[in-house]
Amino acid sequence: MAVDLWIFALCTAVYLAIVLFLGYLGWKQTKGTEDYMLAGRKVHPALIALSYAATFISTSAIVGFGGVAANMGMGIIWLVGFNIFFGILIAFVVYGKKTREIGQRLKAVTFPDLMGKIFNSAFMQYACGLVIVLGMPLYTSAVMIGGARFVETTFAMDYNLALILFAAITAIYVVVGGLLAVIYTDSFQAIIMLVGMTFLLVFTYVSMGGITNAHETLTNMASLVSDAARSQGMTGWTSMPAFGSPMWLTLVTTIIMGVGIGVLAQPQLIVRFMTAKDNKSLNRAVAIGGFAILMLPGVAYTVGALTNVYFYQEMGKLAVAAAGGNTDSVFPLYINMALPDWFVVIFLLTLLAAAMSTLSALFHAMGTAAVNDIWGRLRNKKPSLVETKTFVILMIIVSVALAYIMPGSIIARATAMFMGLCAAAFLPAFTHAIFSKKPSANAAKVSLVVGAVTWFLWTAFVHIKESEPLGLSMLFFGQKAILPMPWQVVDPIIIALPLSAIALIVVWAIEHMTASKDEETIKKAV
């Protein structure tokens, strides 16, 4: 399918002009470093919700997880429910309000800064900043790859050039305008994404003879599941894999739980709560955010599974086979083959919006963590605006470099990896920090270290998807993974998060008992 490059160029020019203008507005309203990091703490609830959703839903959700749905089926729809419940309702109403209140009282400007000030601990600020700086480029690179793959497929553009363009255009308004520019552009991009995904859902169902016919056809394709996939637990594309099977464990522990729970501890999302004027703003943001999350990933996962119907009818192949075995290429191929030219342009803008909205938030989060929570803390001096922008640029360069060396079919996995790491390292300590009257710094430190180290060890030596390509298990133990099945497909979050929480509870309990004994001793002495 040949896309009219003139139409695309015109639409893209208008889109970029609006994005850069919104970036300019953000720059005009950014007066200092705190404004650059927290947008003045008075963002409208609708903007918070749209920005949050656009940051959360990226090309990894659309391209990466859409490809996973084509491979594993509609069981991934459970992730949408988890995202709405944990990522919107619990995040905004339970965690968001406390985060905003404490962040404003302590004048925290980043997530590591918040943790450091709550626990009065330089270690917590350093450690949180280090996890972000080392782990977030993985996720950032996956987002860039998702957008670049679509451009490559659609316009036969060089993949490397597409990566550079994504990074460069996004960098302009992030570096210049700060978080306010990010929020303005994110909100605009969220609206584009909602329009594009709505068109995609309607067109897909209409072209397949309606909702009922589309789903019945996909259900009847269960007999086409290969013997290899069936041995892994695959039962069809409209049903869950067999309970306890390798595919079920991957879908549930890595995709649904890893991303569904991991969203609560995402630094680039947590900082959105600190931009709200008051708690009412967070309450008002829930409905908008919930609808956006329902539509954006919900459509991607549904259409992703249904691509099997199209490719089998048109090519006699299942979706992943039609895409050459690369799940990251399923969505771009479907859009280019199945939909009309005018929609390819719309969807490309949708993916541009998805990629750029998330990239801008990640660039901002990485850069501010590096400059404020590591560099600034080391010097015991608040960074200047110039230093802040410089570090943002450096983290952008690191992310682009990493994208060049990452393998195929990595988008969804890299996203789940980063979210799982954040949950294991941050979630117990973060929960303790904002809900405990007397948070224990020692308990938080031990929890963070146990969570991060356990996550890394399980990733490097047990979880076969990572241990095999990393090669550390083979180097030290002579085997791809040191534990047998089914442990090899149990995601690190299932092991690391509980151990992180247990470590926090144990240390807190020991401190509490010791303090109680000391009080009794003092009373007896008196």
Side-chain angles (χ1 to χ4, degrees), residues 94-116:
V94 180
Y95 281 81
K97 292 179 180 179
K98 295 293 293 184
T99 301
R100 188 204 66 80
E101 292 168 2
I102 297 172
Q104 190 171 59
R105 173 164 52 83
L106 297 179
K107 298 187 181 303
V109 294
T110 65
F111 173 72
D113 188 33
L114 176 71
M115 296 291 278

Side-chain angles (χ1 to χ4, degrees), residues 296-320:
L296 299 179
V299 171
Y301 305 161
T302 301
V303 173
L306 289 171
T307 58
N308 286 285
V309 174
Y310 172 80
F311 285 116
Y312 189 72
Q313 291 177 344
E314 295 294 322
M315 301 174 62
K317 296 180 180 180
L318 297 175
V320 177

Side-chain angles (χ1 to χ4, degrees), residues 516-526:
S516 298
K517 289 180 180 179
D518 290 343
E519 289 179 4
E520 290 179 7
T521 302
I522 293 173
K523 288 180 180 178
K524 290 178 180 180
V526 173

Side-chain angles (χ1 to χ4, degrees), residues 42-65:
K42 54 183 179 181
V43 178
H44 191 278
L47 296 181
I48 294 175
L50 290 173
S51 175
Y52 183 95
T55 297
F56 184 25
I57 305 304
S58 65
T59 48
S60 65
I62 298 173
V63 176
F65 285 94

Side-chain angles (χ1 to χ4, degrees), residues 405-420:
I405 62 175
M406 291 174 71
S409 298
I410 190 63
I411 298 175
R413 185 148 48 98
T415 302
M417 285 175 66
F418 176 68
M419 292 194 175

